[in-house]
């Protein structure tokens, strides 16, 4: 019997993880409110599994993608924030805030030539994502006392010095072993990309939302 192909994304359900959604909402309220703020953005959180290290040994901590019109019909949301499950598990609240805020900093409201907020025909605000190179590390340092680079260094050192759980995917990758897929994780895919995921594959999103 052929081995089932796993996926590397898992939905973080608000009903079962309300504290995590509250955590993100508090950062939104505290740093991204105001007249031209993004406090009203509707976000969806997802776990990311089996993220490979880059050639320098660094690991993607999080990602953000803007959702298509079709995806928004399947599940009400404007953006998807993906969190590296292995890395998230070793971070403290201060570090987690930096990771989340680094992605929220990329969200911006779209305006028309008259300076009015753009909306679709269902009166939903249209958002865009700023380029990653525009991320202001000084802003993160001022707000949280840490930069994203410092958090990345921490995770890199933690895993490299056997801080990763023995037998975990990342620990195996960093040790040069052939990584094994954890049996208790169903939603992962070591073959999928480590780039930002656009939900052009609406069938894939529907399967995640349906728990398939």
């Amino acid at each position: 019997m052929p081995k089932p192909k796993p996926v590397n994304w898992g939905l973080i359900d608000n009903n079962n993880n309300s504290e995590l959604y509250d955590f993100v909402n508090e950062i939104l309220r505290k740093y991204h409110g105001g007249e031209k703020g993004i406090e009203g953005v509707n976000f969806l959180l997802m776990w990311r599994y089996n993220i490979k290290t880059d050639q320098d040994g660094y690991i993607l901590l999080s990602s953000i993608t803007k959702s298509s019109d079709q995806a928004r019909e399947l599940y009400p949301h404007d953006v998807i924030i993906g969190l590296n499950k292995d890395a998230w598990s070793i971070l403290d609240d201060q570090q987690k805030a930096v990771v989340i805020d680094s992605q929220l900093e990329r969200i911006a409201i779209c305006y028309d030539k008259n300076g009015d907020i753009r909306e679709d025909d269902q009166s939903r605000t249209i958002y865009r994502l700023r380029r990653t190179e525009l991320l202001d590390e000084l802003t993160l340092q001022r707000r949280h006392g840490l930069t994203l680079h410092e958090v990345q260094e921490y995770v890199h050192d933690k895993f490299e010095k056997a801080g990763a759980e023995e037998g975990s995917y990342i620990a195996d990758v960093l040790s040069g072993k052939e990584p094994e897929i954890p049996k208790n994780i169903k939603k992962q895919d070591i073959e999928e990309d480590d780039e930002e995921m656009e939900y052009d594959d609406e069938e894939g999103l529907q399967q995640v939302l349906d728990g398939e």
Side-chain angles (χ1 to χ4, degrees):
M1 182 177 178
K3 189 175 182 179
K5 181 180 181 296
V7 295
N8 67 345
W9 292 79
L11 179 66
I12 303 178
D13 187 4
N14 189 12
N15 294 326
N16 298 323
N17 297 274
S18 59
E19 290 185 2
L20 182 49
Y21 279 85
D22 290 343
F23 182 74
V24 178
N25 277 318
E26 176 60 21
I27 297 174
L28 272 170
R29 183 199 63 77
K30 190 171 183 179
Y31 301 114
H32 300 276
E35 184 179 349
K36 293 189 176 182
I38 59 165
E39 192 173 359
V41 67
N42 194 347
F43 61 90
L44 183 66
L45 301 177
M46 298 188 76
W47 291 127
R48 296 192 63 176
Y49 304 105
N50 295 330
I51 297 179
K52 299 176 184 178
T53 57
D54 64 19
Q55 60 184 1
D56 296 315
Y58 287 89
I59 302 164
L60 182 71
L61 302 181
S62 60
S63 62
I64 188 168
T65 54
K66 190 175 69 170
S67 298
S68 67
D69 289 341
Q70 190 174 9
R72 295 170 88 183
E73 291 300 315
L74 293 172
Y75 196 95
H77 64 289
D78 302 309
V79 297
I80 297 169
I81 299 175
L83 301 175
N84 183 330
K85 177 67 171 177
D86 277 331
W88 189 262
S89 65
I90 66 169
L91 300 179
D92 60 26
D93 285 349
Q94 182 185 23
Q95 294 165 328
K96 289 176 180 178
V98 173
V99 171
I100 292 295
D101 204 11
S102 70
Q103 298 302 342
L104 297 180
E105 274 292 311
R106 294 192 57 201
I107 306 172
I109 295 175
C110 291
Y111 295 90
D112 63 20
K113 61 183 180 180
N114 297 318
D116 297 322
I117 295 176
R118 293 185 59 197
E119 296 181 340
D120 62 17
D121 58 12
Q122 297 187 31
S123 299
R124 296 178 301 196
T125 299
I126 298 176
Y127 296 91
R128 64 181 179 88
L129 296 181
R130 298 187 180 98
R131 299 192 305 274
T132 54
E133 57 266 30
L134 296 180
L135 179 64
D136 185 1
E137 289 274 35
L138 291 178
T139 297
L140 297 178
Q141 172 71 42
R142 185 178 69 254
R143 291 174 181 170
H144 311 288
L146 285 174
T147 65
L148 182 61
H149 179 71
E150 289 173 321
V151 179
Q152 290 171 326
E153 287 283 351
Y154 171 81
V155 173
H156 174 268
D157 292 344
K158 193 75 171 177
F159 286 147
E160 190 175 55
K161 297 175 181 177
E165 181 181 354
E166 184 178 357
S168 72
Y169 179 85
I170 293 179
D172 288 344
V173 169
L174 291 174
S175 65
K177 298 179 182 178
E178 182 67 25
E180 296 183 2
I181 300 173
K183 296 180 179 179
N184 64 328
I185 297 177
K186 297 180 180 179
K187 293 181 170 59
Q188 50 189 311
D189 187 352
I190 61 174
E191 298 176 355
E192 292 293 336
D193 66 274
D194 289 323
E195 301 295 329
E196 292 181 351
M197 180 189 67
E198 294 290 349
Y199 264 121
D200 295 327
D201 181 6
E202 309 304 341
E203 181 180 355
L205 174 61
Q206 184 64 65
Q207 290 176 352
V208 171
L209 297 178
D210 292 342
E212 297 180 359

